Amino acid sequence: MSRVPRDFYEDLVRTSQGNRAGFLSERERWLRALPVEAREELLFEFEMLLRSVERYVHLHDNGVIDPQDKPLVTRDFREELKDVRATLSQAIRLARHLLDPDSDQKLQFRRYVETQLADDNMRRSRIEGELDQETPQESLFVLRQSFESLRNLIDHLLQLPVCGLSLFNDVGNLVLREIVLNRYFRPFRLNEFRLEYDRLRSVRLLALLSTVPTETRPLFTTAYLSLFRLLHCLAYVSQDSQGPIPRRVRVLLALVRSEALSLVGYLKNELAPKAGPKPLQAACLRAARDIARETDRIARDVLVELDRDRAAAARASYAFTQLFQAQVVALTEALSPGSTSGEAPFEQLASSMEAAERLRKDLWVFSQLCRAAEGHLRNDDVTSAEAVISSIVAFLGYFQDGSYQLLRYVDYEAFDRFSALLTELPWPPEGPAVRTRLIEDLRAFSMVLENTFAAVSRRAQLRGFNFDRAEAELLRDRFLAATR
């Protein structure tokens, strides 16, 4: 039997992580077992804030310092320090949410014990053990404790008459050191992605990318993932122009500006030269030019007004959002001319209803194929079972390129486990024990598929839309016919 197709996006994400893939795989296991609501989104916000501070302390890159203001060496950086403090405070709150109560209590107790130890060698040994960050929980706890200490330090520094450039730089270096030395929660880079939250949840884009040549598909996928991550970050910028702007918004907008300029370099130097035909190369260069030009305008005309105009943050967020959505549409049109016609082309590409409909249909087909294979095995019809399992393998490749990316992160584990089962499955399954185990695995995964199907059917996007069973049966029969 042929091997199961690999998940292209997982391969791309693992490759982007370089030598950190092992740590991040361990972190994924921790996250999947974490009993915290919306844990993936909390983790994204946490790492986004780390990355934001990392960019914000580079004053020449952050875009919120008005070049017409007084020279940096004569400025009072009190407001910038307050921005950093507010961002650290939010990161501390998120770290508390991400640490389940049991782990948090144990680590807090261990920290208390360390303060009570009279033996210097034992105390030092315990501190060194904690700083080794052997688990994601320890790594997160250490970072939270460090941020609390830095926040306390900033509180005292803000009482000084003036907070000069050298002081701001020193605080920035201390924050950066804690972030860079963290083992499990070092923030993402532009072309480094996480399975926990970096997925393209667009039926049309997934279908389009499956047709792109294998040598350029990772390049275009990276561009799309980067654009959607920027849009994800912008969702955290307050759109309320009536109240005071949260200080961390200034820091987030500095991140968006910096990452946008990094994306310009990627489009111009990495994607365009390898994109393929000249029209595609020209489209990539055009996207790079448009992002660079508009980002510079927003920084020059809008970001410098953040201190003086309450509506500036909303205007900057809107301008950036329109810019990145337009580039998603432009790249799509370059890859498939005529595919983005009509009103609101981005909304069509990113339709959550279309994604839910596709996922619901594919889950039903998947469960039907598994139930059929289970039934043939129960009836000792190994030949028919082999044909259906071959259909499942073929369908899994189709599923991984599309609907797998539309699942919730919490659902991945069951699908990954079943995929691994098919990869290692000996055929034909010899002996009653092996056959019984396979029957039970198919039954259990069928129940997972049916429960997921029911959960997707209850989504608000599908309210009032009946399941098109006839269309789903056609898709099922297409895969069954391909293996007969």
Side-chain angles (χ1 to χ4, degrees):
M1 191 175 74
S2 61
R3 291 181 63 82
V4 174
R6 291 183 60 81
D7 175 13
F8 164 76
Y9 288 90
E10 181 172 0
D11 290 345
L12 175 65
V13 168
R14 299 292 185 208
T15 301
S16 77
Q17 294 169 355
N19 59 6
R20 287 175 43 73
F23 289 121
L24 294 175
S25 293
E26 186 176 347
R27 194 184 75 166
E28 287 174 39
R29 290 190 290 273
W30 158 77
L31 186 66
R32 285 177 173 174
L34 186 65
V36 175
E37 186 74 18
R39 54 193 182 273
E40 303 88 358
E41 195 62 30
L42 290 173
L43 181 59
F44 174 81
E45 184 182 357
F46 181 71
E47 293 199 316
M48 176 186 65
L49 292 176
L50 301 189
R51 180 67 166 144
S52 298
V53 171
E54 185 181 69
R55 301 314 306 155
Y56 189 72
V57 297
H58 293 285
L59 294 171
H60 294 288
D61 297 331
N62 68 22
V64 299
I65 302 296
D66 190 340
Q68 297 180 356
D69 281 353
K70 61 180 68 175
L72 293 181
V73 292
T74 62
R75 277 179 55 95
D76 185 354
F77 284 88
R78 182 181 309 275
E79 298 305 312
E80 284 74 22
L81 272 178
K82 289 179 180 178
D83 294 342
V84 172
R85 184 198 183 281
T87 307
L88 293 181
S89 292
Q90 178 65 5
I92 291 167
R93 285 192 287 271
L94 292 168
R96 287 200 182 104
H97 284 303
L98 286 167
L99 270 172
D100 62 278
D102 186 52
S103 296
D104 191 35
Q105 290 173 7
K106 288 179 181 177
L107 292 167
Q108 290 278 17
F109 179 74
R110 191 171 73 179
R111 173 59 64 91
Y112 169 76
V113 169
E114 289 167 2
T115 65
Q116 304 301 309
L117 290 174
D119 188 292
D120 288 340
N121 289 331
M122 186 175 295
R123 183 165 59 249
R124 178 173 179 174
S125 175
R126 284 185 175 272
I127 292 173
E128 288 176 347
E130 181 182 276
L131 294 178
D132 283 342
Q133 303 176 36
E134 294 181 353
T135 67
Q137 293 96 318
E138 289 181 359
S139 187
L140 189 59
F141 183 78
V142 167
L143 192 56
R144 190 185 91 190
Q145 293 286 328
S146 300
F147 281 178
E148 288 175 344
S149 298
L150 285 166
R151 183 176 61 178
N152 186 44
L153 174 64
I154 292 172
D155 285 340
H156 286 80
L157 292 175
L158 288 172
Q159 298 176 18
L160 295 173
V162 177
C163 300
L165 175 62
S166 61
L167 185 147
F168 182 79
N169 283 336
D170 288 342
V171 171
N173 288 334
L174 289 174
V175 175
L176 288 178
R177 184 175 302 172
E178 294 301 328
I179 293 173
V180 170
L181 293 178
N182 191 264
R183 179 173 287 186
Y184 289 96
F185 296 92
R186 196 179 305 168
F188 50 73
R189 296 295 185 267
L190 177 71
N191 295 332
E192 180 184 334
F193 302 106
R194 304 281 195 267
L195 288 172
E196 301 94 310
Y197 42 70
D198 283 318
R199 293 279 177 170
L200 293 178
R201 303 187 185 279
S202 163
V203 171
R204 301 190 187 190
L205 288 181
L206 291 168
L208 174 61
L209 285 169
S210 68
T211 67
V212 174
T214 55
E215 61 272 16
T216 56
R217 186 181 181 192
L219 297 170
F220 280 101
T221 304
T222 296
Y224 278 120
L225 287 171
S226 299
L227 286 165
F228 275 96
R229 176 186 281 170
L230 285 165
L231 290 168
H232 195 174
C233 292
L234 286 166
Y236 285 89
V237 178
S238 173
Q239 301 294 315
D240 183 6
S241 60
Q242 301 302 315
I245 300 172
R247 285 192 169 273
R248 64 179 179 275
V249 164
R250 290 162 50 90
V251 184
L252 291 179
L253 286 171
L255 170 69
V256 171
R257 176 186 180 272
S258 175
E259 297 292 87
L261 295 177
S262 297
L263 178 57
V264 168
Y266 173 78
L267 293 170
K268 185 187 301 182
N269 303 321
E270 299 291 332
L271 180 55
K274 305 172 185 175
K278 287 186 178 180
L280 277 179
Q281 294 181 21
C284 297
L285 292 173
R286 209 163 35 243
R289 181 201 61 201
D290 292 346
I291 293 174
R293 181 184 299 167
E294 182 64 3
T295 298
D296 181 66
R297 186 197 68 78
I298 295 169
R300 184 181 63 251
D301 298 341
V302 184
L303 294 184
V304 294
E305 297 292 328
L306 289 175
D307 289 332
R308 300 181 283 271
D309 184 356
R310 289 179 177 178
R315 290 205 311 275
S317 176
Y318 178 80
F320 275 126
T321 299
Q322 293 298 304
L323 170 64
F324 300 138
Q325 288 182 354
Q327 302 318 308
V328 170
V329 173
L331 283 179
T332 304
E333 183 65 22
L335 286 168
S336 179
S339 62
T340 58
S341 58
E343 295 183 2
F346 179 82
E347 285 70 18
Q348 294 177 27
L349 288 175
S351 170
S352 58
M353 187 184 76
E354 189 175 27
E357 286 182 324
R358 163 70 182 269
L359 179 58
R360 178 167 66 169
K361 178 180 68 176
D362 288 355
L363 287 168
W364 185 87
V365 173
F366 211 159
S367 67
Q368 289 285 299
L369 294 174
C370 289
R371 287 295 188 189
E374 176 194 352
H376 289 312
L377 286 172
R378 289 189 186 280
N379 294 329
D380 291 328
D381 188 350
V382 176
T383 301
S384 296
E386 181 178 10
V388 176
I389 289 179
S390 295
S391 300
I392 293 174
V393 171
F395 184 80
L396 185 58
Y398 162 86
F399 187 85
Q400 284 176 333
D401 280 345
S403 287
Y404 180 82
Q405 319 306 325
L406 309 175
L407 291 166
R408 298 178 306 162
Y409 177 74
V410 70
D411 295 324
Y412 290 156
E413 187 174 12
F415 286 80
D416 293 344
R417 190 164 52 244
F418 184 74
S419 177
L421 167 70
L422 291 184
T423 302
E424 301 163 1
L425 178 67
W427 197 265
E430 296 179 357
V434 174
R435 196 169 301 175
T436 299
R437 174 66 185 274
L438 179 56
I439 289 171
E440 288 304 308
D441 286 331
L442 285 165
R443 185 188 65 82
F445 188 59
S446 296
M447 293 178 64
V448 169
L449 291 164
E450 289 159 7
N451 290 336
T452 309
F453 171 85
V456 172
S457 298
R458 290 192 295 270
R459 290 184 183 177
Q461 300 98 320
L462 295 178
R463 195 168 296 150
F465 290 89
N466 295 326
F467 176 59
D468 192 338
R469 186 181 178 110
E471 183 182 353
E473 288 176 344
L474 287 174
L475 179 63
R476 177 200 61 192
D477 295 344
R478 190 182 91 200
F479 278 91
L480 287 173
T483 57
R484 286 174 183 163

